Every structure is written in C-alpha cells, then in structure tokens.
Amino acid sequence: MKVLWLFAHPDQRSLSGALMTEGLRTLDAHGHQHRVSDLYAMKWNPVLDAADYAHDPAHRLHVGEASQRAYTEGHLAPDIRAEQEKLTWADTLIVQFPLWWYGMPAILKGWFDRVFVKGFAFGLTDPATGRPLRYGDGKLTGKRALVVTTAGARAATLGPRGVNGDLNDLLFPLQHGTLWYTGMSVAPPLLIPAADRTTPTAYATAATRLRERLRTLPTTDPLPFRHQNGGDYDDDLLLHPDLPQPSPPPTGPAAHYTAPPPPVHL
Amino acid sequence: MKVLWLFAHPDQRSLSGALMTEGLRTLDAHGHQHRVSDLYAMKWNPVLDAADYAHDPAHRLHVGEASQRAYTEGHLAPDIRAEQEKLTWADTLIVQFPLWWYGMPAILKGWFDRVFVKGFAFGLTDPATGRPLRYGDGKLTGKRALVVTTAGARAATLGPRGVNGDLNDLLFPLQHGTLWYTGMSVAPPLLIPAADRTTPTAYATAATRLRERLRTLPTTDPLPFRHQNGGDYDDDLLLHPDLPQPSPPPTGPAAHYTAPPPPVHL
C-alpha cells in the first residue's frame, strides 16, 4: 500500500500520537510506503477563504465556482496543492483523530473543506448519461480509506444502543458524505474507546487491534454503501420505494427520539 | 429573546449573508435583542491547542483536564472567554452555516471545540446519584438552539429517502451530540436548499421561511430527543431493550447500506 496518514491531535505525546507511531511502524514492517500529514505539526490552516483561490475580494465569492476555476487554472494555494499531490500518490487514506463533539477536530474538517475541491475530488460525469458520478464512483475511485478514532466515551455508549449514537451514524457525514461521495471505498472504522483513562493493558490491546486492522486492510471488505448510479436511486436521487430490503433494525439516530421527529421542511 | 447569532460564511455578500441580515432585521422588528459572532469577520481561530489553556508545553497535554482547569482557574484564552460571555447572556443560539461536506465549516466546528469546555458547557452531576447530567440536562439547560443551513443539494436529496441522507441524521453530531448534550433544547433545523442557484423568487421564499421560523421560535416544539436521565437509558447508558416504541421507519443512515454494516468492533 501507499498510505497517506492524516493525523489531527495537538500533542504527539498523546495516546493518539503513540498509536500513529505504532501504526507507521506496522506499515514499515509489512513493506508498505507511507507519507504523513500531521496537521498540528504542519500548522495547517483549516479556514477556507478567498485567498485559497487567488480570488479578487472586490467580487462576491461563490465558493464552488471559484474553487473549481482555481483548480483548473492552477491557482490553488500551494498548501492545498501539496496535500492533493500526497493524496494523488496514495492508494490508501488513514484519517486519525480524537472524536471531539462527535466529529473531527476543526483542523481536520478544514483539510477536507480546502483540499477536496471540485475537479480534484469530485466533478466527473457519466459520458453516457451526463449524470454526475458520486457516491462510489468518482475522481478518487480505487483508493481506500480507514477512520481511526479515539474517544473518551466507553465503547458500548457508541454502539447501536448507546446514548451517544452508533459510531457509523456519527461518522456518516465523513464516511458516506465525503469519502464514499468522492468514490473511495471505506473500511469499517477502528474505535479506541475510554481514551482518557488508558491503562498499560488497554494500550496494549489498542495497539494490537490497530496492527491487526492495518495488516488486514488490503483485504478488508468495505462498508456496503449503495452506489448513486448502481440502480438503487431514481432519477431524483431518492431511494427506490421498495428499498431498503431487508428493513433495517430500529437503531441509528431515529432511536434517540421519543417520537419520530417532524420531517425537515423541504 | 436574547439571541446569539453564530455565522460562518467567508463572504457577507453571499446568500448566507443576506439571510443573516434578514434574520437580524426580523429579530429587531419583534423586539428581540441580538448579538452576532461573525466568525470569518472576527478572524476566529478554530484550532484548539495548548495555548488556549496557558498549558506548559513541556508537559503532555490532556485536553479534558487542561481545559477544565483553565476554565476553573480563569486562564482560558480571552477570545474563548468572550464567546462564553455572549452565550451566557443569550437564551437562544442560532447556528447559521453553509453545509460543507455534510457538516459545519471548520471555523464553526472550532468554535464548539474551543468554547464548549468542561465546566462551562457540561460537567454537572446529579447531587442525588452522582451521575453526570448530559443530554437534555446540563449547564446550558434553559437555552434553545436553531440550526439554519444552506446547501447546494436539492431539498429532496437531503430528506428521508434522499441519496445524501436525512438532514436530521447528518446534523445528529451537532444537534444531539453537542447542543442537546449540553442541555439546550433544539428546534427543527431550517434548510435552504439549491443554494448555489438561487433565483429572486427562491430568495423571497427562503427569506419568508426564515422570518416565519424566527417569529414562531419561542413557541416551537423542540426535537423530541430522549433525556439521558429520563428513564430511557440503563445504568450503562444503553437504551432499554423495549425501546424505541414504536419502531422507527426504515430511513436514516442504515437505509444507505446494501446490507447491514458490520458492527463497530467494541
């Protein structure tokens, strides 16, 4: 594998840092190549703004248009281009972070905000139908991704019946809406729970689990997300009426309401 | 109402900016007070690090401990304290942002990462049981919140059957895991779809919907999330086996898998 390891913790002496070191050593031992984007160490700027696109501030900024044009014309900020070059090189993206407020630290969210511009990470269309290629087919198809996250919560509270919600549901915007959207296949995430009270025994267990996940990553089945153009969605991009089959179990976000929430006003 | 309006778009001349102006005017017209945190205009720093807590970099940073101590001892960075003071003043928080990669722009995620420290936003315990008060009961109980988000996607694709997932599920980490976690009641979100091709007619519709939501906000029923200590969760914080009743419909993230994903290894 050619692995880009994205890392977002402010202190390399942390549990997260120790696990990254362990993980990189494991990749070496199996003959894989790796590059690292340690966002805090790089002082990565996570704030998307007009300067990313050499955009004239006298004119209103349309983010989508300006970013696509800057990508096409080669005017993207150098720090963004450097990250795109790393991801282009890689066939595997590992995204490691402490779970803060049930999501990515801001410095990491801003990596996706700034690096994943139209043209680079998405924007292909099906030549036969003219429809956009997204969710399973896209610019980054052929690459795999793995989320590794440490959390203060106990494991079961991030499971299907836990008060915090199921981890796959919490990661849905990242795993489905970002990684799968751009065409990457997404391995099941690795959760290291109870991270703020890690004993030596718990650390040994976590390190063993990480090594095992990295060892088996090339042959791990990805999360079975539906392809946008795989026949499961209609022309309006809604699930066909007879899907899903079989019905899902009563878990996920809906389980945390005392009654069905009112539908979002569309 | 005393409203804190959190705003996260890089250009005030955008659709988002026009809607904020419309919203603030509406609040004025109804005799409500407001303060604004326009994060881009403030050049808000979203990157949590040791400097926030006057933490000695010679020692390993434990974020939870260091942030709580800095809050208790009055050493939090001044920009964090200023935001905490605004939220303390407010009884209502409006969180407005363009939906980027199905979540908040990094500059906004970092507002929660840095401002919502233990002691300020959570950390109460039930004096009778010693159990933490979270999810519906907490430091920010009594305040209400409303998410207002603009999205490029068409509305139906963010609905219960849409390819992008239901908006309430995408916002679960923010609405449930952050706002409800700290005790705030959360009004149903306002979605302004197809935001990158807004016609004058579409803008008028969006502005009308925003005005109406603000006018009725004081009496709007919040999302019916379960209280952590309301009897629906057991001592391990798992849903009681007979919940939820009635079963939820087959929507939400689970609907986007071709088969049930393997459970997260716990």
Side-chain angles (χ1 to χ4, degrees):
Chain A
M1 295 189 288
K2 290 154 70 172
V3 176
L4 173 58
W5 195 298
L6 257 183
F7 179 75
H9 192 287
D11 195 331
Q12 290 176 335
R13 296 164 296 187
S14 59
L15 169 64
S16 294
L19 289 171
M20 177 172 67
T21 301
E22 188 80 37
L24 296 176
R25 193 184 301 137
T26 303
L27 293 175
D28 285 339
H30 288 92
H32 301 302
Q33 300 173 67
H34 60 75
R35 295 169 75 179
V36 174
S37 288
D38 179 341
L39 299 179
Y40 272 92
M42 295 159 63
K43 300 190 191 304
W44 173 256
N45 165 27
V47 180
L48 178 164
D49 71 10
D52 291 352
Y53 315 129
H55 178 81
D56 178 356
H59 295 102
R60 176 177 160 188
L61 173 66
H62 293 269
V63 171
E65 283 173 32
S67 59
Q68 183 177 16
R69 191 169 51 241
Y71 174 76
T72 306
E73 298 178 356
H75 298 139
L76 278 177
D79 61 342
I80 297 176
R81 279 186 280 145
E83 296 305 298
Q84 292 179 342
E85 187 274 320
K86 289 182 197 171
L87 185 56
T88 299
W89 167 84
D91 57 32
T92 302
L93 177 67
I94 293 181
V95 187
Q96 188 197 351
F97 56 98
L99 195 67
W100 287 354
W101 292 110
Y102 302 101
M104 291 180 275
I107 201 170
L108 178 57
K109 177 55 165 61
W111 190 88
F112 291 101
D113 288 348
R114 295 184 67 225
V115 174
F116 272 29
V117 302
K118 187 169 182 177
F120 174 74
F122 63 105
L124 285 183
T125 52
D126 183 332
T129 64
R131 288 176 58 162
L133 293 175
R134 290 187 296 231
Y135 290 117
D137 301 289
K139 296 278 289 189
L140 303 184
T141 294
K143 299 182 193 294
R144 69 172 73 75
L146 168 67
V147 170
V148 177
T149 189
T150 47
R154 287 176 295 114
T157 68
L158 289 161
R161 306 290 293 175
V163 68
N164 299 308
D166 187 273
L167 184 64
N168 270 324
D169 292 342
L170 296 167
L171 295 177
F172 191 73
L174 172 60
Q175 296 189 146
H176 181 266
T178 307
L179 300 169
W180 178 244
Y181 183 101
T182 59
M184 305 180 80
S185 66
V186 186
L190 173 61
L191 169 66
I192 309 297
D196 52 357
R197 44 197 181 282
T198 304
T199 61
T201 307
Y203 178 76
T205 302
T208 299
R209 291 176 59 216
L210 175 62
R211 285 193 301 267
E212 182 62 11
R213 286 299 307 275
L214 293 173
R215 188 182 70 75
T216 57
L217 188 55
T219 56
T220 297
D221 283 339
L223 294 172
F225 288 126
R226 300 179 192 278
H227 286 254
Q228 174 165 312
N229 295 309
D232 289 349
Y233 298 94
D234 66 18
D235 287 346
D236 292 324
L237 302 181
L238 308 187
L239 283 165
H240 280 297
D242 58 337
L243 293 174
Q245 293 292 351
S247 291
T251 56
H256 294 274
Y257 295 82
T258 54
V264 175
H265 188 90
L266 301 176
Chain B
M1 296 190 287
K2 289 154 69 173
V3 176
L4 174 58
W5 194 299
L6 258 182
F7 179 75
H9 192 287
D11 195 330
Q12 289 176 336
R13 295 164 297 187
S14 59
L15 169 64
S16 294
L19 289 171
M20 176 171 68
T21 302
E22 188 81 36
L24 296 176
R25 193 185 301 138
T26 303
L27 293 176
D28 284 340
H30 288 92
H32 301 301
Q33 300 173 66
H34 61 74
R35 296 168 76 178
V36 174
S37 287
D38 179 340
L39 299 179
Y40 272 92
M42 294 159 63
K43 300 188 190 306
W44 173 255
N45 165 27
V47 180
L48 178 162
D49 71 10
D52 290 353
Y53 316 130
H55 177 81
D56 179 356
H59 296 101
R60 176 175 159 188
L61 174 66
H62 293 270
V63 172
E65 282 173 31
S67 59
Q68 183 177 17
R69 190 167 55 241
Y71 175 76
T72 306
E73 298 177 356
H75 298 139
L76 278 177
D79 61 341
I80 297 176
R81 281 187 278 144
E83 295 305 297
Q84 292 180 339
E85 186 275 320
K86 289 182 195 170
L87 184 56
T88 300
W89 166 85
D91 57 33
T92 302
L93 176 67
I94 293 180
V95 187
Q96 188 198 348
F97 57 98
L99 194 68
W100 287 354
W101 292 110
Y102 302 101
M104 290 180 276
I107 201 171
L108 178 56
K109 177 55 164 59
W111 189 89
F112 290 102
D113 288 348
R114 296 183 67 225
V115 174
F116 273 30
V117 302
K118 188 169 182 178
F120 174 73
F122 63 104
L124 285 182
T125 52
D126 183 330
T129 64
R131 288 176 58 162
L133 293 174
R134 290 187 296 232
Y135 290 118
D137 301 289
K139 295 277 290 188
L140 303 184
T141 294
K143 300 183 193 293
R144 70 172 73 76
L146 168 67
V147 170
V148 176
T149 190
T150 47
R154 286 175 297 113
T157 68
L158 289 162
R161 305 290 294 177
V163 69
N164 299 308
D166 187 274
L167 185 64
N168 270 324
D169 292 343
L170 295 167
L171 296 176
F172 192 73
L174 171 60
Q175 295 189 146
H176 181 265
T178 307
L179 301 169
W180 179 244
Y181 182 102
T182 58
M184 305 181 79
S185 65
V186 185
L190 173 61
L191 169 67
I192 309 296
D196 52 358
R197 43 196 182 283
T198 305
T199 62
T201 307
Y203 179 75
T205 302
T208 300
R209 292 175 60 216
L210 175 62
R211 286 193 300 268
E212 182 63 10
R213 288 299 307 274
L214 294 173
R215 187 182 70 75
T216 57
L217 188 54
T219 56
T220 297
D221 284 338
L223 294 171
F225 289 125
R226 300 180 192 277
H227 287 254
Q228 175 166 311
N229 295 307
D232 289 349
Y233 299 93
D234 65 19
D235 288 346
D236 291 325
L237 302 181
L238 308 187
L239 283 166
H240 280 296
D242 58 339
L243 294 174
Q245 293 291 351
S247 291
T251 57
H256 295 273
Y257 294 82
T258 54
V264 176
H265 189 91
L266 299 176

